[in-house]
Amino acid sequence: MIAEKNTILLITYDNWGFNQYIADALEAKGHIVKHINFHNFRYKYPSFGHKIFNFFTKNTGVLNLKHVHYNNIILKELENIEKIDVAIYIKADFLSQKTIKAINKKSAKSVLIISDSINRYPKTKKILSLFDKVFSFEKKDCEKYNLLFKTNFIYNYIDNIPAELKYKVFSISSLDNRFPVFQKIAKRLHELKINYKIIIFTSKKKDDPYLEFSGKTLSIAENNAFLAESEIMLDVHRTQQQGLSFRVFESLGLQKKLITTNTDIVNYDFYNPENIHIIENAEEINIPNSFFEIPYAKVSKELLNKYLIENWVDDLI
């Protein structure tokens, strides 16, 4: 337990559920945490005309009715909070400066965590100066905007590797510009006669002989069930993104091997070529048979400690 209890306001757009682990870890340390997850704030258009209006205004950067809705509810909830020791934001680019300033006025300290590249969400640049601390997993952004570097975290750790596993390689992803790379990797795994499962989420009708498609996103519990049944995890990073995705830290916590397209992983202290194979060119995928055959080389708990969620949260407060 800690000597002093802090009242912490955690404000996130938690569409996958990862940020609840942050709230749980802070509460486990004795802090009082209010988690406002504005992904849960459902907005219903008053009319079809409002929907058409929002389509044009959000794409031109003028106005987003959903974002206005998020901000209004957050400001309403803020009225019931008297004191905040630390306000922690994730995905604050969804929020207006008015909302952020109102929260920070009640907060002794404000912290922003950026787990995407600023190139992907350029509106983030306009709010950086509003926070006492800003962390980013993107090294280039840290250098360019003078931010503090902080990776993603391990939220699920096991001591023992299961003896029997259902899939050799597993991955799950939304449909975006990484799709052609997934296609090439899946085709290559098929040629190598590797048992794999790669799921792509999309509301569009898609067909590919080497991939599975789903119109329903999985919960973290469902995702973790697939991870538990798999020996090797596949990570395809976004274009122009250097920061390591959650897939990397899931593989570390679950003691799984990793196939990744992110070449910057060689610069991390846990990198081991026995555990991590890097695909540098999707047009020329060469994964040696030995990578699938050699057992996982265990990473010491001492090395992983700084990435475990219970330790990762310490420098936020």
Side-chain angles (χ1 to χ4, degrees):
M1 295 291 288
I2 55 174
E4 181 185 354
K5 278 188 178 182
N6 285 298
T7 299
I8 299 172
L9 179 62
L10 179 63
I11 309 166
T12 75
Y13 187 81
D14 197 9
N15 53 331
W16 291 101
F18 291 116
N19 300 329
Q20 185 57 41
Y21 289 106
I22 299 175
D24 294 342
L26 289 167
E27 285 183 341
K29 289 178 177 287
H31 299 298
I32 300 165
V33 182
K34 179 174 177 56
H35 183 191
I36 297 178
N37 175 13
F38 54 92
H39 177 257
N40 294 332
F41 298 167
R42 295 292 173 243
Y43 176 73
K44 185 177 181 180
Y45 292 106
S47 68
F48 183 71
H50 283 82
K51 188 173 184 179
I52 295 297
F53 171 79
N54 195 53
F55 174 79
F56 288 106
T57 55
K58 74 176 182 181
N59 287 328
T60 56
V62 176
L63 179 71
N64 189 320
L65 293 177
K66 287 184 180 180
H67 291 187
V68 171
H69 176 68
Y70 297 154
N71 282 273
N72 287 340
I73 295 183
I74 290 170
L75 288 172
K76 190 69 178 174
E77 293 207 15
L78 189 65
E79 293 175 4
N80 301 318
I81 303 174
E82 292 183 9
K83 171 182 169 287
I84 305 166
D85 292 302
V86 188
I88 302 172
Y89 302 75
I90 303 175
K91 292 299 294 173
D93 54 290
F94 280 68
L95 305 178
S96 69
Q97 291 197 25
K98 175 186 173 184
T99 299
I100 295 169
K101 288 176 180 177
I103 295 166
N104 288 352
K105 191 174 181 180
K106 284 193 173 184
S107 307
K109 180 180 177 182
S110 60
V111 177
L112 173 63
I113 302 170
I114 308 172
S115 53
D116 277 298
S117 66
I118 289 179
N119 275 340
R120 191 170 176 226
Y121 294 100
K123 286 195 296 184
T124 306
K125 287 185 286 188
K126 298 179 181 179
I127 59 172
L128 293 176
S129 63
L130 301 179
F131 305 94
D132 297 316
K133 276 187 178 182
V134 181
F135 294 98
S136 172
F137 83 151
E138 193 67 66
K139 293 176 184 175
K140 292 177 182 177
D141 285 346
C142 290
E143 293 171 5
K144 186 174 181 179
Y145 301 104
N146 195 29
L147 312 179
L148 299 168
F149 178 67
K150 191 170 184 62
T151 68
N152 281 314
F153 52 81
I154 296 172
Y155 64 85
N156 193 3
Y157 177 81
I158 62 169
D159 284 313
N160 299 309
I161 304 171
E164 294 185 13
L165 298 165
K166 189 173 182 180
Y167 307 106
K168 197 73 173 176
V169 178
F170 171 73
S171 185
I172 194 167
S173 176
S174 53
L175 181 69
D176 52 35
N177 58 13
R178 296 172 293 173
F179 181 64
V181 180
F182 276 111
Q183 285 181 303
K184 291 180 175 69
I185 294 174
K187 184 174 184 292
R188 184 60 182 144
L189 291 174
H190 175 78
E191 292 168 348
L192 292 170
K193 295 181 171 53
I194 298 297
N195 178 27
Y196 69 90
K197 188 178 188 69
I198 300 176
I199 304 172
I200 305 293
F201 292 126
T202 175
S203 58
K204 302 175 182 178
K205 185 174 176 58
K206 296 287 291 184
D207 186 43
D208 185 276
Y210 306 111
L211 296 169
E212 293 182 34
F213 297 92
S214 173
K216 172 185 171 291
T217 57
L218 297 186
S219 66
I220 278 197
E222 291 170 319
N223 175 62
N224 286 344
F226 277 121
L227 296 179
E229 296 177 319
S230 308
E231 183 178 336
I232 301 169
M233 296 165 64
L234 171 63
D235 165 58
V236 176
H237 77 302
R238 297 182 186 278
T239 307
Q240 297 182 333
Q241 174 186 305
Q242 192 180 49
L244 302 183
S245 72
F246 266 112
R247 193 98 307 159
V248 174
F249 297 93
E250 287 169 334
S251 71
L252 281 171
L254 296 173
Q255 300 191 63
K256 309 281 186 183
K257 286 192 173 188
L258 179 74
I259 297 172
T260 181
T261 58
N262 194 331
T263 58
D264 193 54
I265 201 168
V266 300
N267 297 312
Y268 288 78
D269 50 9
F270 54 78
Y271 173 72
N272 181 341
E274 290 184 18
N275 291 340
I276 301 171
H277 177 80
I278 301 170
I279 296 174
E280 297 187 24
N281 182 2
E283 303 300 329
E284 201 173 314
I285 301 171
N286 296 309
I287 308 173
N289 289 334
S290 59
F291 183 76
F292 298 106
E293 296 166 357
I294 296 173
Y296 181 84
K298 192 165 184 175
V299 180
S300 72
K301 185 72 176 293
E302 289 72 26
L303 183 57
L304 297 181
N305 268 339
K306 67 181 177 183
Y307 303 108
L308 294 174
I309 183 64
E310 58 264 35
N311 302 318
W312 185 93
V313 296
D314 285 343
D315 56 2
L316 300 181
I317 53 176

